[in-house]
Amino acid sequence: MRRIYLLLLALTCLSSITKAQNNVTRIYTDFGGYWQSAQGANSPVQPNNSHNLLAFKVGATTYSTGVNDALLTTKGVTFTQQNFQALPVASVPTVNINGSSNPIVIGVGSQYGGGNGNVSPVPVTSDLNSYLTDGVQGLDLGTGIYNIPGGIELKYSISNIHASKIGDGIPDLVLTQIGVPPSSTVNDVYRFFDANGNTVGNSVSINVANIPVVAQIHMKFYTPTNPPTYNSGLYGERDLRLVSYDFSAFGINAANIGRIVGFGQVLSGASDQAFVAYNASSVTILQSVSGTVFEDPDGGEPSGTGYEGGARITLLNAGNVVIGSTTTDAHGHYSFPNIAPGNYNVRLTVPSGYKLTGSSNGTIDSVIPVTVANSPAVANFGLGNTATPVTLMGFEVHKKANTALLAWATATEEQNRGFNVERSGDGRTWSNIGFVTSLSENGKSTLKLEYDYTDNNPLNGRNYYRLKQVDHNGSYAYSDVRMLTFDKGTTIDIYPNPATSAVNLSGLSGNEHIYLFDVSGRVVKHLKADNAMVQIPLNNLDEGMYQVKIVDQEGSTSAYKIMKSR
């Protein structure tokens, strides 16, 4: 097992005369409230739990990460303010768990989970990606992955590199290695690439063994089986190393910057990382939405063993348009990489024979709203490992005139009290609009039972519907979500028509702009409605045909013809 050495901070926009590799010589973290250590003067205190990188020193300059600048100021640290974020990880292959001399393992502080060494319950999950992006802004130095398999390129989408940051002497990218590398030359390779996958500028090869140690940390280790298992033989002290790089080290300049669409990382197989970070003021990186579906019959915050059966996860935007779908892996994990900033909904299709017991937003809901900004979004689900008492065969919604007809059926029922019918206008905030009692005797049936419900007053625009099946003991489970759109235009009455001196409009909301056009298309009248009825005077107008155009507050228009007579 390699010990943990490198905390590579692939940081900067260093000038063209700066060395390609810039060692980090001092770090500041929030371990125990505040802690620091330096090259050649390692702190005697070894962090043994999660702690976030506050700042680091390269050359004569200390750069903050933005995690807690106020604390640095309180401690009298002089720094250049920056904002660093962990790169979202597209994938980490779960291989070499068994049958390898260097199997992949999860490393965490020896006190992680509330106790020294092994503790119960197991304080980690087998979701490897989470330990490369956890902590404030993803910069937790007390957790990481060891012996990451080599040869596979991890790719990250880049929407923009800020040209003004190239060569300004401030770090741009941050890489981490937290184990003892082999003495032989083993390099990690980093590069920028274009739309065809070709390298833009040049790649950078990093031999982590050449990075000086800045601190020691105290760690324990888990093999990422399902659930993870404690590995007592690896327990102990590890070294911490850091290095920084400038965009100019990759040959990036004004001539080729426009070709860049992504950043690639090819690990050597000897890599042990806490995170790879980037300067958010230098480059824009698309983030990820990921999480785990757990077998968790106890409910609460989802945890425990990952669901092995392959659950369907769907990512939808704020308008509930599907962005993509995937299936969880053998450990219950899923990931949607390279997601643009915005609001999204993560939807779990509950597997047959299971029911929801919890989710990471604190509700028992198969849809979790998430926001993607400068860090990855996480949505976890918990599943009960006992069969649901109600087997829902289907759930459909249809328009029937100006109403919404909901229809569903059950194959079997046990302890079923009935169904709450819930509606939402945005897919995020739900209201109960009705309850349908179970058709079974005492809530129990082995026959197909058919149900329906009519929403007589659907919302104007989009209507999202779902069923909340409720047991007699208070347990409940949600159906999938269905959507209908209604265009409920307001009926405007215009009278008299033909008219002589005036025409009346009723049925308005009171915020419309009303225009009267003659046959040439010229506006001859313009009024602002201030109540449900408006009168348009016609005394000074010639007889003939006119058009009334009504524009509501949202910009929707409607038009009517009237006749002016003597």
Side-chain angles (χ1 to χ4, degrees), residues 164-198:
S164 63
K165 298 295 182 178
I166 300 176
D168 67 354
I170 300 174
D172 297 314
L173 290 174
V174 178
L175 319 174
T176 65
Q177 165 81 22
I178 51 175
V180 177
S183 56
S184 59
T185 301
V186 181
N187 291 350
D188 295 336
V189 178
Y190 297 84
R191 70 183 185 114
F192 291 93
F193 57 84
D194 61 20
N196 296 318
N198 300 315

Side-chain angles (χ1 to χ4, degrees), residues 463-481:
N463 290 255
Y464 299 94
Y465 295 98
R466 69 182 183 186
L467 303 174
K468 180 181 180 181
Q469 182 272 315
V470 184
D471 297 346
H472 282 292
N473 63 8
S475 299
Y476 57 90
Y478 285 102
S479 70
D480 286 342
V481 176

Side-chain angles (χ1 to χ4, degrees), residues 294-298 307 353-357 382-388:
F294 292 96
E295 297 246 14
D296 188 9
D298 297 329
Y307 174 70
Y354 286 83
K355 65 187 302 180
L356 279 168
T357 58
L383 295 175
N385 56 7
T386 57
T388 178

Side-chain angles (χ1 to χ4, degrees), residues 92-98 103-107 122 124-129 131 144-147 149 221-231 234 329-331 333:
V92 173
T94 308
V95 298
N96 295 334
I97 291 178
N98 298 303
I104 191 169
V105 292
I106 300 165
V122 176
V124 301
T125 74
S126 53
D127 180 6
L128 301 181
N129 291 11
Y131 298 103
I145 305 300
Y146 290 74
N147 305 334
F221 300 89
Y222 292 83
T223 302
T225 49
N226 192 15
T229 52
Y230 181 63
N231 192 327
L234 302 177
D329 66 16
H331 291 187
H333 311 314

